[in-house]
């Protein structure tokens, strides 16, 4: 009912709404959920985070399979474009995520109050539904994108050196503007992580057992 919809909206950035058949996917919150294409995408993101080129792994970046899946971790496509491009997408993601959360809470309040009239409500609900699907599918890549701003040469501090960023050596991680970006990324990371934790734990928090995305 509407109460179930509102609770899902407030806690997990998800508003149940039936999508076209080509985009319909059923997420089973129970322990017997089948391994889906969405699970495969999440697994590949974790795989790329672990076996990435910034660590000591010997990775052949010209290998066709690596090129085929590397796009899933979209950070790797932005780093070569430079610091400005990376930060531009960072703030776009931060603003869209925050705006989506605020809109979700507002829609949830409206639904709990029984206000479900108007095409604009259906359109807004559909947009938020698609955002929830994208976030739930690519959340490892999003977290990795935020955490990457903290990927600095911290050991240099022990020798009196400067903690430059690994990918953007011209940026000092303890000086502006990068320090401000790092702090905002930390806030966004806590906010985003809390949203993911609430989504994963919805089985215990909510009476609804299944969500149609």
């Amino acid at each position: 009912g509407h109460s179930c919809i509102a609770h899902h909206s407030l806690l997990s950035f998800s508003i149940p709404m039936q999508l076209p058949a080509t985009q319909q996917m059923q997420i089973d919150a129970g322990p017997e959920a089948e391994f889906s294409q969405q699970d495969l995408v999440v697994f590949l993101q974790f795989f790329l985070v672990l076996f990435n080129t910034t660590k000591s792994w010997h990775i052949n970046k010209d290998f066709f399979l690596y090129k085929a899946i590397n796009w899933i971790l979209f950070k790797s496509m932005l780093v070569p474009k430079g610091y400005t491009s990376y930060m531009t997408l960072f703030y776009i993601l931060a603003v869209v995520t925050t705006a989506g959360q605020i809109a979700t809470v507002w829609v949830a309040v409206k639904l709990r109050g029984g206000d479900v009239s108007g095409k604009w409500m259906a359109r807004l609900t559909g947009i938020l539904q698609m955002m929830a699907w994208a976030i739930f599918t690519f959340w490892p890549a999003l977290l990795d994108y935020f955490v990457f701003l903290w990927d600095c040469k911290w050991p240099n501090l022990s020798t009196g050196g400067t903690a430059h960023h690994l990918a953007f050596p011209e940026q000092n991680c303890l000086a502006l503007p990068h320090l401000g970006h790092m702090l905002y990324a930390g806030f966004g990371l806590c906010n985003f992580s809390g949203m993911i934790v609430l989504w994963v734990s919805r089985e215990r928090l909510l009476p609804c057992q299944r969500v149609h995305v």
Side-chain angles (χ1 to χ4, degrees):
H2 295 159
S3 178
C4 172
I5 295 175
H7 281 297
H8 272 293
S9 304
L10 284 169
L11 293 178
S12 61
F13 195 69
S14 174
I15 299 178
M17 179 178 179
Q18 199 71 14
L19 296 177
T22 56
Q23 299 176 345
Q24 187 175 356
M25 180 180 298
Q26 185 176 21
I27 300 176
D28 193 336
E32 299 179 356
E34 296 181 356
F35 191 82
S36 64
Q37 293 180 351
Q38 188 178 43
D39 297 323
L40 176 61
V41 173
V42 172
F43 168 78
L44 290 175
Q45 290 172 75
F46 278 116
F47 179 83
L48 290 173
V49 168
L50 178 60
F51 297 100
N52 66 81
T53 55
T54 63
K55 307 229 184 267
S56 57
W57 309 106
H58 296 286
I59 300 175
N60 182 8
K61 294 187 290 185
D62 294 327
F63 187 49
F64 77 96
L65 185 58
Y66 178 83
K67 292 181 177 180
I69 65 175
N70 191 44
W71 66 269
I72 297 177
L73 205 64
F74 48 86
K75 175 192 70 180
S76 59
M77 296 187 295
L78 267 294
V79 170
K81 296 183 180 297
Y83 187 74
T84 301
S85 297
Y86 191 94
M87 294 311 305
T88 299
L89 180 58
F90 166 76
Y91 280 106
I92 290 175
L93 292 173
V95 170
V96 169
T97 302
T98 303
Q101 288 179 298
I102 295 174
T104 299
V105 172
W106 183 80
V107 170
V109 172
K110 287 290 185 179
L111 292 177
R112 293 190 66 178
D115 184 4
V116 295
S117 59
K119 293 183 178 180
W120 63 270
M121 177 67 77
R123 292 175 181 176
L124 179 58
T125 302
I127 293 174
L128 293 175
Q129 174 68 20
M130 292 301 300
M131 290 177 61
W133 177 86
I135 289 175
F136 187 68
T137 302
F138 294 99
W139 67 268
L142 290 171
L143 290 180
D144 179 65
Y145 200 91
F146 279 47
V147 172
F148 186 67
L149 291 179
W150 290 77
D151 203 358
C152 306
K153 297 182 179 179
W154 300 113
N156 289 355
L157 298 177
S158 62
T159 58
T162 303
H164 293 290
H165 194 274
L166 289 177
F168 309 110
E170 73 280 4
Q171 297 297 326
N172 183 354
C173 293
L174 294 181
L176 295 175
H178 189 76
L179 179 60
H181 299 325
M182 284 172 52
L183 294 176
Y184 187 78
F187 168 78
L189 183 63
C190 293
N191 180 39
F192 190 75
S193 298
M195 182 175 64
I196 294 299
V197 169
L198 288 174
W199 171 269
V200 173
S201 62
R202 70 192 185 281
E203 173 75 6
R204 298 179 180 179
L205 295 176
L206 301 172
C208 307
Q209 299 299 315
R210 304 173 76 88
V211 182
H212 291 280
V213 176

